Amino acid sequence: HGDYEIVKLLLNNPKININLKNKDYMTAFMYIFMQNRYIYNINIIKLFLNHHEFDINKHDNQKQTALMKVCM
């Protein structure tokens, strides 16, 4: 439950870039979405999906989105 509240707090901060990528072009959403604990993270995933600046089409350095990675 603590993770959810932390993510919610961060996503509500206007200074946070929700679509920022790391050196491997991975976003925070990609990491969360691809974790084996999908059910545990469903509420966090919903926070991202409902965020007005979230771009689900962001891809990594292999041109794969989070959804593409999970389906492989």
Side-chain angles (χ1 to χ4, degrees):
H1 262 54
D3 293 343
Y4 175 84
E5 293 301 324
I6 292 169
V7 172
K8 186 176 177 181
L9 181 68
L10 289 170
L11 292 181
N12 285 327
N13 184 334
K15 294 181 180 179
I16 298 292
N17 179 348
I18 190 172
N19 298 303
L20 188 66
K21 296 178 181 181
N22 68 5
K23 64 179 175 66
D24 296 319
Y25 295 91
M26 298 277 290
T27 65
F29 179 77
M30 289 178 182
Y31 282 110
I32 292 167
F33 193 66
M34 293 184 323
Q35 287 182 1
N36 293 333
R37 302 176 299 158
Y38 178 77
I39 299 302
Y40 173 76
N41 292 318
I42 191 71
N43 290 326
I44 294 176
I45 290 169
K46 287 179 183 179
L47 285 175
F48 278 86
L49 293 175
N50 291 319
H51 194 278
H52 67 281
E53 292 182 10
F54 176 64
D55 182 359
I56 196 156
N57 295 312
K58 289 287 183 184
H59 57 79
D60 64 6
N61 58 352
Q62 298 173 348
K63 305 293 184 208
Q64 297 177 341
T65 66
L67 185 58
M68 292 166 72
K69 288 181 162 298
V70 174
C71 292
M72 296 177 84

